[in-house]
Amino acid sequence: MITQEQPRFGGEWVGEAQVADYIARMDAYEDADRLPIFQLMTRLATQDAQAPLRILDLGSGYGPVAAVCLDAFPNATAIGLDISEAMMAVGRERMARFGPRFTYMVGDFSAGALPALAVEAGPYDLVVSARAIHHLPAEGMAALYADIARNLRPGGAFFNLDTASPETDFLRERFRAARPRRARPANQERTEAQRAHDLLHHHRDATLVRHLEWLKAAGFASVDCYWKHLDRALVGGLKIS
């Protein structure tokens, strides 16, 4: 496993019980919904299933995105960038079937740039991320998009499945009302303070329009929103040169 000093974002995922609960919810509630989107990433990346791609998965967690990519491209290798030891412990078990094709790298991108070890391991043919980049402030997301573009090979692609905040309070309330409600254990009910934190945490200015503007400013071509449901979207683009 590759390591880097002074990790920051993602450090909240330290408890085994917390991580196990999160992964169980993802397996039970979201994998069926997310799997087609992850597969869409691979189809958009290239039509050559035998391509020997070099893949970077940002905020890889227990590896669900990287696993779909490696299944789609049997000659590809992937690095999963993360800092949560508890998440990676589960990921090592789940990703063991890929052998040396998958490697974890310990590091973070909270400064709006790829860590030095990730840059040294590149350049990449495909960079993917799911529900990780929204942890950054808006200017950090824009800077990270630009750094990802710098570390892609010509013809490479970047796809990010993440929060795309509503443009207005009206839409925010409509989206909240339209979202399916999932029961939580009594000891996991969210307080008003937690809900207020989430409102800030998911950055009201990280709208779909802003994501696309950041991608264009980073130099990506064929920038688009490839899938969207309420406040979640798959955005990305290609690097031409």
Side-chain angles (χ1 to χ4, degrees):
M1 178 174 57
I2 309 167
T3 61
Q4 178 176 346
E5 295 181 354
Q6 296 182 332
R8 287 178 285 176
F9 277 110
E12 67 271 19
W13 296 107
V14 295
E16 292 182 5
Q18 177 194 22
V19 167
D21 174 72
Y22 172 81
I23 294 175
R25 285 189 284 115
M26 295 300 99
D27 287 345
Y29 297 138
E30 294 193 22
D31 273 1
D33 296 331
R34 296 190 304 169
L35 180 58
I37 308 169
F38 297 163
Q39 292 171 333
L40 176 60
M41 290 184 188
T42 67
R43 295 195 300 273
L44 289 166
T46 178
Q47 295 299 305
D48 182 4
Q50 302 304 314
L53 302 181
R54 181 69 165 162
I55 301 169
L56 178 63
D57 180 11
L58 298 179
S60 187
Y62 59 98
V65 187
V68 172
C69 291
L70 292 176
D71 280 334
F73 303 111
N75 294 318
T77 59
I79 292 174
L81 181 68
D82 209 279
I83 65 170
S84 168
E85 287 294 341
M87 281 284 189
M88 290 186 288
V90 177
R92 290 186 194 100
E93 295 181 1
R94 296 194 176 199
M95 301 297 286
R97 64 189 177 93
F98 296 109
R101 295 176 58 211
F102 179 80
T103 306
Y104 272 116
M105 176 183 289
V106 180
D108 80 294
F109 43 86
S110 60
L114 299 179
L117 286 176
V119 173
E120 293 170 7
Y124 303 95
D125 302 289
L126 177 61
V127 177
V128 294
S129 187
R131 302 290 292 163
I133 294 176
H134 69 266
H135 288 286
L136 275 64
E139 61 273 15
M141 286 187 265
L144 181 62
Y145 283 0
D147 201 39
I148 290 169
R150 284 189 289 269
N151 287 280
L152 275 172
R153 291 190 177 101
F158 166 56
F159 300 107
N160 180 29
L161 174 63
D162 217 326
T163 299
S165 300
E167 295 281 351
T168 66
D169 288 339
F170 174 82
L171 280 178
R172 186 170 294 106
E173 292 303 319
R174 283 298 175 95
F175 286 3
R176 183 179 293 115
R179 186 178 294 112
R181 295 186 180 276
R182 293 167 179 160
R184 290 176 177 270
N187 63 351
Q188 291 185 12
E189 286 300 323
R190 304 187 69 74
T191 66
E192 287 299 326
Q194 287 172 322
R195 284 190 285 271
H197 173 268
D198 285 349
L199 200 58
L200 295 174
H201 181 63
H202 290 90
H203 305 294
R204 290 191 177 209
D205 52 354
T207 64
L208 177 58
V209 171
R210 295 292 300 280
H211 278 292
L212 298 178
E213 289 175 348
W214 295 332
L215 288 165
K216 291 176 182 177
F220 286 102
S222 301
V223 168
D224 210 336
C225 171
Y226 304 98
W227 174 92
K228 187 176 186 297
H229 178 68
L230 300 179
D231 59 353
R232 189 169 302 179
L234 174 65
V235 299
L238 306 177
K239 180 177 179 179
I240 302 302
S241 60

